[in-house]
Structure formats: C-alpha cells, structure tokens
C-alpha cells in the first residue's frame, strides 16, 4: 500500500526564466527483468524507482550539486537530463540560448543527438570514458566530426585549442597518445576537452574527481571553475563528497532514494542543515577518506531497496528523529525484532522465535502487522521487553495501537505522510518536522 | 596491431616453439602453392606429354618423384596443385565467414531485442548440426548455381564457421556496449552506426584472428572429407587431396601405396601446421593463458647528488 505523495510546490523559488534545464515531476523507473519462469507466467518484474518525482532547475551560470549516498539516483538524474535514459514520467525542459525551449523527454533519437552540442557529460572514471583504441586527437575531435562541424586542418586547430584550454600542453605531446599512455588526471582533462569542444551550455559532471589522486582533485575542480567562467557554462556537479561540493557548488540538492530531500544555497545547507539526512551527512564530512563517506549518525546503516521503498518518508527507517506519521510499517517491525536478536545472545532467539510466528508476512509493506501464533501474552511481553531495551526508539512513535486478537497481537501504525519539498528558511526541505508554510497560508 | 605484434614477439617457451614450427610448415605450403606453375612439372589434370600418355601407377623415381596414379597423373604435381586448392579454399572460407560473421555479431549484440534473438537462434541451430553434414548439404545446394569449383566449396565451409565468429563477436559486443566509453560516445551524439564502427568494432574483433587460424585447420579437414566422400570440388575443376586419397584406396589395398600416401601426408602436415599456428596464437594472444617473458625491472641506484644532476641536465 504505497503512500500518496503530497503534491509538490507549484512554483519553487526558481522561476523558469533563469533556468537552463528544468526537471518537472521527473520519474525514471527501471524495469528489472524477473526470472525466465516468472516472465513465462506473465508476472511482471520489479521496478527500481531510480528517480521518483524530482523537481529541480539548473540556473544559468550556476553550479548545482547533487549529493547523496550510492544508489540515491544522482547519476540517473544526470543521464536523464541529457536524455541518455528515458523519463518514465514527468518532463525535462532545456531552455537553450539559441535553440529555444526543448522538451528533452519528448525528443526522438535524431533530435536528441543534435542536442548533444548543447549539453555534455564528464564521467566518473576517466580511464573507462575514452575508447582505448582512439588517439587523443581522434577522441577529442570526434564530436566535431560526428556533428559535421569541422574537418581537416580546422579540426586539428580546434582540437589543439581545446587541449590547451584544459591544460594539456604542449599539445604535440598529447595528440598522438592513446588513453593508456596518460595519467588519470590527464585522461580526465582529455574527457573535459571532448565535452567542451562542441561549446555546450550545460555540463553534467558525474563525480569527475572521485577516482583521481588527491593531489590532482583540486586542480581539476579549479579547471572546471575556470572553464565555466570562460565558456559561460552551467554545471550539474554530482558527488558524494560534501567537501568538494562545498568548494565548487552554488546550490546543493541532497538526494535520497530517488528524491531530493533538501535543496538550497550551499552556504545555507552547510551552515544550517535542516533535513535529518543532511545533518547526518554533514556529521560524516571529516572522514579521512572522502570516498567512503558513511553517515555516522544514522542508527541503521542499510539503504533501503529502491524497488520497494519504505512507506511515508523513505528516510524514516534510519531517521533518529522520526515521528508518528513518518511511515512506520510492517517491515520496520521485522527490523526491530532482528536487531533485538542481534543485540541479545542466541538463546534469546531460540526462546522467542516461536512467539512471533512467520516473519515473512512482515515483508509486504502494511500499516497493520500481525505477530505470534497462540501465546498472545508471550508475544506482548516480548514486545514490551524490546521496548524497555530502548524506549527512545522512534519506531514506537509510529505505533498507533497494539491489540491482543486471541492468536497473537496486531500492531496498527499511524497513517503515513509522504512529505514533499517545502520552503523552510532559505532552503526547501522534505521533512514533516518543517511545517509546510504554504499549508499554513491556506488554513 | 602494434600491440599484437609485440605480444607475439615477446612470447617465450613452448608457445613460441609451437608458433614457429607451425609457421614454418604453413609457409612452406604457401610458397609451394604460390610457385605451383613453376615448381610443378605438370598441370594438375595433365596425363599426356606431347600426345603420349604418362605411365600408369609408376613407382616413385627420378622422373616422377612421387610416382604416378591410376589416372596417369604425376603425384608430385597433384600434391603441389592440391596445396594451392587447399589454401585458396581455406583463405576464402575464413575470409567469407569473417566478413559475414563479424558484422552480423556486432549488429546483433548491439541492437539486441528480437533481431538478436532470431539471429542467435539461427546461428545456434547451425552450430548444433554436425559440420560435415552441413557442408555436404550446402555443397549440394551450391553446386547448381555456382558449379563445383573452389568458390562453391569455400562457401559451403563458410556456413559451418560463421556461427563461431558470430557468437564471439556478439557476446563481446553485448558486454562491451555497457562500457563507459560507449555511453560517452552516445553522450557526444554518435549515431548507432558510428558507435559500432568507431567504438565497438576495434574492441570486439580482438579474438577473431585466433578463431580464424584455428578454423583454418578444421576447414582443411572438412574440405578433404568432402572430397573423399565425393561431395567436394569436382575433379575437373582443381586438384584436391581428399579426392586423390579416396581414388587411391583400392590401389593401396593391392599394395600400391604411393598414390594414397602422399596426398594423405600433405593433408596431415598442413593440418598440423595450421593447428600449431592456431594454438600458438591462442596461447599468446589469449590473456587467460598468456605467459610473457618477464623482464626484471632494474632500478638504477639513486643517490641524492644524482638527483640534483638529473635536474640540472
Ligand atoms: N540501467 C539501469 N538498470 C536498472 N537499474 C538501474 C540502472 N541504472 C541505475 N539503476 C538503479 O537505480 C538506482 C540509482 O542508481 P544511480 O546510479 O543513479 O545512483 P548514484 O546515486 O549515481 O549512485 P553512485 O554513487 O553509486 O554512483 C540504483 O538502485 C541502481 O541500481
Ligand atoms: S519526515 Fe523528517 S522526521 Fe520523518 S523520517 Fe523523514 S526525515 Fe525523519
Ligand atoms: Mg553514480
């Protein structure tokens, strides 16, 4: 039983006049293929909701950061903006300087290819982003050849120009090299050169420095900032490293399970994080290795399955301050029991296993869960024991009632509430703790 | 190319000897075949000199090095012309199967969907059939339109080998098309044809030369088998070892051994040579098996003043 999401803000603080690209109610769902047998029986496979209702605009000339843990949908959002993955719902609009408004999500493949002259991408792994069988000159000039812009001597001049811009000079040293001959930083410079050679307006940079040595990271970021000023670019900067986001971004969008949970000016996000997830991420910054950023403050470490996201606020199973309407449900009860057994020695598990009955029933998200087989009193006592172990566990806030139904106990949860992004101070945040200012106006 | 060459050159040990031995044999046959008009004393179907018949079933001697057979042919000439036939058929059939199998596999793997499924089904069916049977069927079918010559024989062998190239190229394409540089090619706006030509082709054909050399040996034995069974190249079209061998069997039982021995030896020798080349290449170019010459890295002893000198230079 999925929770109905709130309708998002009709107009955010960004008006479309100063936006280069906008995503509106964007959804990108990937159909996972089930087993051959399941397909034969006509059962549909599961769907991963990689992007699940995103509204965001990239303003002209800004660097917008997309920050989130692995699997939060950052790359997918970037690829969707470029039209490299189709949107399953919603739209993406590009407001071109000399191309006019283009709805990317409705373009055919030919028009999409033409759009590449305006929007480009820089990839995470520079070692994999260049064809091993192409020289640097071929690789960087290829966009111009594909779009039939230049050839011959002019092409070469432009390639040399691009190489110089990205700091690969003297160019003669690099033109004939193969990617395998270059260092990681040099390869990433070449990838950037290939991305800017068509003079695009938008650059999607997907973790452009995360695979590089510490020593060259700052240089590549500085290069990107310089190019932005020289070439009037707008960037979407994807990262899970908040420190680099702070360095380069004007605004930051924090992503969690395919949604944006907080978005606002970088300074404000860093000075005054509002969403509990953002707070947890910020606490994690001073890790020695920024690649392994793990939010430290989160009670439970697992990122939920994007195919069947939690009810209500999808962050609630990990949220230390969750309240009753955050979406508590049957699967949280299973987690609670399992954690209880992990904390306590094996004998407890053997003794208590029979009191709860089949845990598999709890895997389907429901607002009402049944536990136990015959001994209702025992089950009830077990729940009380677990509660006594940690009375502050947010889970209990979501329980509306526990009732003995003769052959076990039934837990009822509060009605979930799926918070949409709402203005809170200078930012927008998707959390029920921040009362929706717009709703207050209505009442 | 440069890379392959270096890899082959740097091979050591058994793989190298296999490769060298194979190459020596194969090159010897190639030279014989190329120089056939000058080396062979007679035409492949010449049984008369100046209107006078050659002797029938003459012993190997100074005049007829390997003797003559029951058709009044000089066996040495037949063996040399047979080498030409064999190498032509091998070359054509391998070339045809590469030219057809590689693009089919590339497109099938890249496009996916029902095109892929249909092609995989057809190719798997071809692959599942016994190859000799397949070759016999196709040589029957092709005999009508193309006659019983070298091209028809090569094409009927082609049908056997296409599935191998198709499979290898298709499977590598399926995995290579997930590579980031292919996504990057799409991101710069490359249409599918360009992606296949410039980004996939060079990276998926790497194992094709090895399959080619391994198939060459197999193609020769199938060709000989076809000839032996009477389904191969028509005796009027060219000299063919398998056919000569089958004709010579009756004489061999009667104690006339030379008409059977020499074509048979030629078949065995060339198959061995081609197999050695194929295995040698496989061993060197296949990364899983490759054992390359290890050159120990020697670091020059570096002293502080050396470093300063180096900087001043
Ligand atoms: N082509 C695809 N097919 C199926 N699922 C996909 C595909 N691409 C992404 N996903 C799924 O979508 C979700 C979001 O993936 P995405 O790569 O966008 O995350 P991310 O935030 O970029 O993570 P990371 O930091 O690891 O790069 C993941 O659960 C992922 O498994
Ligand atoms: S809505 Fe806010 S308080 Fe509730 S779970 Fe989500 S983040 Fe935590
Ligand atoms: Mg990613």
């Amino acid at each position: 039983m999925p929770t109905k999401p709130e309708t998002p803000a009709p107009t955010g603080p960004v008006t479309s006049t100063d936006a280069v690209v906008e995503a509106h109610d964007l959804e990108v769902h990937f159909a996972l293929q089930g087993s051959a047998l399941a397909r034969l029986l006509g059962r549909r496979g599961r769907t991963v909701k990689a992007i699940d209702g995103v509204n965001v605009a990239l303003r002209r000339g800004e660097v917008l950061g997309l920050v989130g843990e692995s699997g939060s949908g950052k790359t997918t959002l970037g690829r969707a903006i470029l039209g490299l993955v189709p949107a399953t719902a919603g739209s993406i609009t590009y407001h071109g300087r000399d191309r006019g408004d283009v709805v990317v999500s409705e373009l055919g493949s030919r028009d999409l290819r033409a759009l590449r002259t305006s929007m480009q991408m820089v990839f995470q792994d520079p070692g994999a982003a260049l064809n091993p069988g192409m020289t640097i000159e071929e690789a960087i000039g290829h966009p111009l050849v594909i779009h039939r812009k230049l050839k011959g001597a002019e092409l070469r001049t432009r390639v040399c120009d691009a190489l110089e811009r990205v700091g690969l000079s003297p160019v003669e040293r690099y033109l004939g090299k193969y990617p395998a001959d270059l260092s990681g930083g040099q390869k990433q410079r070449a990838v950037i050169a290939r991305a800017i050679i068509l003079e695009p307006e938008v650059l999607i940079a997907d973790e452009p420095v995360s695979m590089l040595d510490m020593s060259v990271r700052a240089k590549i970021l500085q290069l990107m900032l310089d190019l932005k000023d020289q070439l009037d670019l707008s960037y979407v900067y994807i990262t899970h490293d908040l420190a680099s986001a702070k360095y380069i971004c004007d605004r930051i969008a924090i992503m969690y399970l395919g949604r944006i949970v907080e978005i606002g000016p970088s300074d404000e996000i860093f000075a005054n994080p509002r969403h509990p997830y953002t707070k947890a991420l910020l606490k994690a910054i001073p890790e020695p290795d920024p690649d392994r950023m793990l939010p430290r403050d989160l009670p439970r470490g697992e990122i939920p399955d994007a195919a069947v996201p939690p009810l209500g606020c999808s962050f609630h199973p990990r949220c230390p301050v969750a309240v009753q309407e955050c979406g508590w449900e049957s699967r949280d009860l299973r987690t609670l029991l399992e954690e209880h057994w992990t904390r306590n020695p094996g004998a407890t598990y053997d003794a208590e296993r029979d009191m709860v009955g089949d845990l598999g029933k709890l895997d389907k998200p429901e607002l009402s869960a049944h536990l136990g087989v015959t001994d209702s009193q025992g089950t009830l006592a077990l729940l009380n024991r677990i509660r006594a172990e940690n009375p502050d566990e947010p889970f209990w806030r979501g329980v509306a009632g526990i009732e003995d139904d003769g052959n076990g106990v039934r837990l009822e949860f509060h009605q979930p509430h799926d918070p949409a992004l709402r203005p809170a101070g200078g930012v927008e945040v998707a959390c029920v703790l921040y009362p929706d200012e717009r709703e207050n106006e209505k009442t | 190319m440069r890379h392959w060459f270096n890899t082959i050159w740097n091979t050591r040990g058994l793989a190298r000897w296999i490769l060298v031995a194979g190459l020596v044999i194969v090159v010897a046959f190639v030279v014989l075949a190329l120089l056939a008009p000058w080396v062979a004393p007679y035409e492949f179907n010449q049984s008369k000199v100046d209107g006078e018949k050659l002797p029938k079933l003459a012993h190997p001697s100074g005049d007829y090095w390997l003797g003559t057979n029951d058709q009044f042919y000089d066996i040495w000439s037949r063996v040399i012309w047979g080498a030409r036939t064999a190498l032509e058929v091998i070359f054509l059939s391998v070339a045809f199967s590469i030219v057809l199998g590689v693009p089919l596999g590339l497109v099938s793997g890249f496009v996916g969907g029902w095109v892929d499924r249909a092609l995989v089904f057809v190719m798997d069916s071809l692959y599942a059939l016994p190859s000799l049977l397949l070759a016999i069927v196709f040589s029957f079918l092709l005999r009508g339109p193309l006659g019983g010559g070298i091209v028809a024989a090569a094409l009927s062998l082609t049908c056997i080998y296409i599935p191998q190239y198709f499979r290898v190229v298709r499977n590598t394409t399926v995995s290579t098309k997930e590579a980031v540089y292919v996504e990057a090619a799409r991101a710069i706006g490359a249409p599918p044809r360009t992606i296949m030509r410039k980004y996939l082709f060079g990276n998926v054909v790497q194992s094709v030369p090895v399959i080619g050399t391994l198939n060459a040996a197999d193609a020769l034995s199938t060709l000989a088998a076809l000839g032996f069974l009477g389904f191969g190249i028509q005796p009027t079209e060219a000299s063919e070892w398998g056919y000569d061998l089958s004709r010579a069997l009756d004489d061999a039982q009667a104690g006339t051994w030379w008409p059977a021995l020499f074509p048979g030896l030629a078949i065995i020798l060339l198959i061995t040579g081609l197999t050695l080349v194929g295995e040698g290449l496989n061993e060197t170019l296949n990364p899983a098996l490759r054992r390359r010459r290890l050159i120990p890295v020697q670091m020059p002893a570096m002293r502080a003043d050396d470093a300063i000198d180096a900087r001043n230079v």
Side-chain angles (χ1 to χ4, degrees):
Chain A
M1 201 213 74
T3 359
K4 221 169 142 219
E6 281 177 6
T7 43
T11 44
V14 185
T15 59
S16 36
T17 43
D18 61 349
V20 212
V21 204
E22 266 178 299
H24 186 68
D25 289 344
L26 181 68
E27 284 181 14
V28 179
H29 293 185
F30 293 109
L32 294 185
Q33 285 204 329
S35 66
L37 183 66
R39 264 182 288 150
L40 271 182
L41 298 174
R43 242 181 282 150
R44 280 205 293 125
R46 306 184 325 152
T47 313
V48 176
K49 299 175 176 170
I51 298 293
D52 195 22
V54 161
N55 287 281
V56 69
L58 173 67
R59 296 173 190 168
R60 206 170 283 284
E62 81 168 344
V63 182
L64 171 67
L66 298 182
V67 179
E69 282 166 286
S70 191
S72 53
K74 309 179 294 292
T75 301
T76 307
L77 180 53
R79 297 176 67 210
I81 291 175
L82 285 176
L84 285 172
V85 278
T88 39
S91 66
I92 290 158
T93 315
Y94 165 59
H95 306 283
R97 205 158 23 202
D98 32 43
R99 201 186 275 273
D101 287 5
V102 182
V103 183
V104 179
S105 38
E106 287 169 6
L107 292 183
S109 54
R110 184 179 295 267
D111 295 328
L112 263 181
R113 289 202 295 272
L115 186 76
R116 300 287 179 250
T117 51
S118 307
M119 295 205 262
Q120 275 293 319
M121 185 145 182
V122 173
F123 297 86
Q124 174 172 16
D125 182 358
L130 293 165
N131 183 354
M134 264 189 186
T135 62
I136 295 301
E137 178 178 5
E138 266 182 286
I140 293 177
H142 207 210
L144 291 169
V145 175
I146 288 170
H147 294 279
R148 304 224 167 83
K149 297 255 187 206
L150 293 177
K151 55 182 163 194
E154 282 176 297
L155 175 65
R156 179 163 222 170
T157 319
R158 269 283 276 288
V159 171
C160 295
D161 181 50
L163 279 173
E164 251 158 29
R165 266 190 196 286
V166 299
L168 289 180
S169 53
V171 288
E172 297 76 32
R173 262 200 18 222
Y174 297 98
L175 286 173
K177 290 253 166 80
Y178 284 89
D181 305 328
L182 302 187
S183 74
Q186 289 168 337
K187 274 183 265 196
Q188 195 61 298
R189 284 174 195 268
V191 172
I192 293 174
R194 179 176 63 183
I196 59 165
I197 203 160
L198 289 168
E199 300 177 331
E201 276 190 85
V202 176
L203 213 61
I204 314 270
D206 187 0
E207 312 203 28
V209 296
S210 70
M211 311 227 1
L212 302 180
D213 283 348
M214 271 306 185
S215 54
V216 291
R217 286 187 184 184
K219 287 189 204 142
I220 297 285
L221 287 182
Q222 191 54 51
L223 170 69
M224 288 181 55
L225 285 178
D226 294 344
L227 290 174
K228 176 172 105 70
D229 292 339
Q230 292 164 13
L231 305 170
D232 288 333
L233 291 162
S234 312
Y235 284 147
V236 173
Y237 177 75
I238 297 171
T239 184
H240 50 213
D241 164 26
L242 268 166
S244 73
K246 189 176 187 176
Y247 177 74
I248 192 175
C249 296
D250 303 310
R251 283 194 309 146
I252 289 181
I254 308 284
M255 291 194 66
Y256 190 76
L257 272 196
R259 300 258 185 103
I260 292 178
V261 295
E262 180 163 0
I263 179 168
S266 303
D267 303 340
E268 183 64 18
I269 300 256
F270 277 93
N272 193 0
R274 287 178 175 79
H275 197 280
Y277 179 59
T278 315
K279 289 182 184 170
L281 284 181
L282 280 174
K283 286 223 176 73
I285 275 196
E287 286 274 324
D289 179 4
D291 275 347
R292 292 265 327 134
M293 185 187 62
L294 273 181
R296 264 198 239 147
D297 206 31
L298 299 174
R300 291 180 270 272
E302 297 264 321
I303 303 173
D305 185 353
V308 201
L311 299 186
C313 169
S314 46
F315 184 57
H316 82 258
R318 303 166 76 191
C319 180
V321 292
V323 293
Q324 65 177 33
E325 72 263 39
C326 288
W328 298 100
E329 37 131 328
S330 45
R331 284 174 296 173
D332 300 316
L333 176 59
R334 179 172 187 161
T335 315
L336 184 84
L337 288 164
E338 282 167 354
E339 279 175 0
H340 162 72
W341 287 323
T342 326
R343 272 196 304 270
N344 293 288
T348 328
Y349 173 74
D350 297 334
E352 292 171 354
R353 186 69 190 79
D354 294 335
M355 288 183 203
V356 294
D358 179 18
L359 278 186
K361 290 183 306 194
L362 299 179
D363 284 344
K364 210 160 145 259
E366 299 275 9
L367 286 183
S368 158
H370 185 265
L371 265 194
V373 200
T374 46
D375 178 17
S376 323
Q377 286 311 311
T379 315
L380 214 51
L382 167 64
L383 285 178
N384 283 330
R385 269 204 305 283
I386 297 178
R387 184 164 193 167
E389 279 172 19
N390 182 9
D392 294 331
E393 163 63 53
F395 173 84
W396 300 108
R397 297 178 206 148
V399 180
I402 303 180
E403 187 182 295
D404 179 348
D405 67 356
N407 50 1
V409 290
R410 178 160 291 281
L411 283 85
E412 299 289 341
F413 295 99
H414 283 289
Q415 203 57 40
H417 190 75
D418 186 357
L421 273 180
R422 62 207 53 193
V427 303
E428 286 178 80
V429 58
C431 170
V432 296
L433 296 182
Y434 298 87
D436 199 331
E437 287 163 12
R438 287 166 298 136
E439 265 173 25
N440 293 346
E441 280 163 27
K442 269 184 248 158
T443 47
Chain B
M1 273 329 260
R2 186 183 52 153
H3 166 72
W4 282 342
F5 187 76
N6 283 341
T7 321
I8 293 169
W9 194 250
N10 287 335
T11 347
R12 259 279 169 94
L14 190 60
R16 182 171 198 141
W17 288 116
I18 290 177
L19 200 56
V20 169
L23 278 174
V24 167
I25 299 174
V26 173
V27 167
F29 273 96
V30 169
V31 168
L32 271 188
L34 285 178
L35 300 181
W38 297 279
V39 179
Y42 306 95
E43 292 297 316
F44 79 91
N45 55 356
Q46 189 177 5
S47 53
K48 292 182 189 149
V49 179
D50 304 329
E52 207 172 307
K53 274 207 179 264
L54 296 170
K56 183 176 180 181
L57 295 174
H59 258 282
S61 66
D63 292 341
Y64 309 104
W65 292 357
L66 306 182
T68 61
N69 68 9
D70 63 336
Q71 288 175 301
F72 309 94
Y73 292 153
D74 171 47
I75 295 179
W76 172 231
S77 305
R78 292 286 291 178
V79 166
I80 293 171
W81 289 108
R84 191 171 246 222
T85 311
L87 289 169
E88 271 174 359
V89 171
I90 290 170
F91 177 80
L92 282 181
S93 66
V94 170
F96 284 151
S97 16
I98 290 178
V99 165
L100 289 170
V102 170
L104 274 181
L106 190 60
V107 170
S108 183
F110 183 73
V111 174
W114 66 266
V115 176
D116 185 40
R117 252 171 283 152
L119 277 170
V120 167
F121 178 77
V122 172
M123 294 293 171
D124 279 354
S125 316
L126 281 183
Y127 194 73
L129 291 173
S131 57
L132 187 57
L133 184 69
L134 203 62
I136 290 174
V137 170
F138 273 99
S139 72
F140 258 124
L141 292 177
L142 293 171
R143 190 163 291 181
L146 291 176
I150 285 175
V151 175
L155 276 180
S156 46
L157 294 182
T158 301
C159 307
I160 309 177
Y161 301 116
I162 284 185
Q164 297 184 21
Y165 299 93
F166 172 83
R167 271 185 172 195
V168 167
V169 170
R170 183 234 168 228
N171 291 348
T172 355
T173 306
V174 167
S175 56
T176 311
K177 77 172 179 187
E178 303 298 326
V180 182
Y181 62 82
V182 175
E183 165 113 347
R186 290 205 289 142
I188 59 174
R193 267 174 36 140
T194 311
I195 296 183
M196 285 191 266
R197 260 192 17 240
K198 300 284 264 181
Y199 290 82
L200 288 173
F201 180 78
N203 295 302
V204 299
V205 294
Q206 314 234 349
S207 39
V208 165
V210 174
I211 310 178
T213 48
L214 288 176
N215 278 345
D218 196 62
L220 174 57
S221 64
T222 312
L223 175 71
L226 280 181
F228 189 85
L229 296 175
F231 301 111
I233 292 175
Q234 295 298 299
T236 47
E237 298 273 343
S239 156
E240 203 272 311
W241 297 333
Y243 170 80
D244 285 0
L245 190 61
S246 77
R247 277 201 73 96
L249 277 193
D250 290 339
D251 298 326
Q253 273 160 7
T256 315
W257 46 268
W258 55 97
L261 177 70
F262 296 111
L265 266 186
I267 293 173
I268 292 172
L269 209 57
L270 185 50
I271 287 183
T272 311
L274 290 169
T275 309
L276 290 178
V277 173
E279 291 298 339
L281 275 186
N282 197 17
E283 191 114 331
T284 29
L285 292 182
N286 189 339
L289 296 171
R290 186 187 309 162
R291 213 181 298 113
R292 219 126 35 105
R293 180 175 4 190
L294 283 179
I295 304 164
V297 180
Q298 297 216 329
M299 293 295 282
M302 185 77 137
R303 281 170 298 134
D305 44 309
D306 278 352
I308 292 164
D309 286 348
R311 224 177 298 141
N312 291 338
V313 174

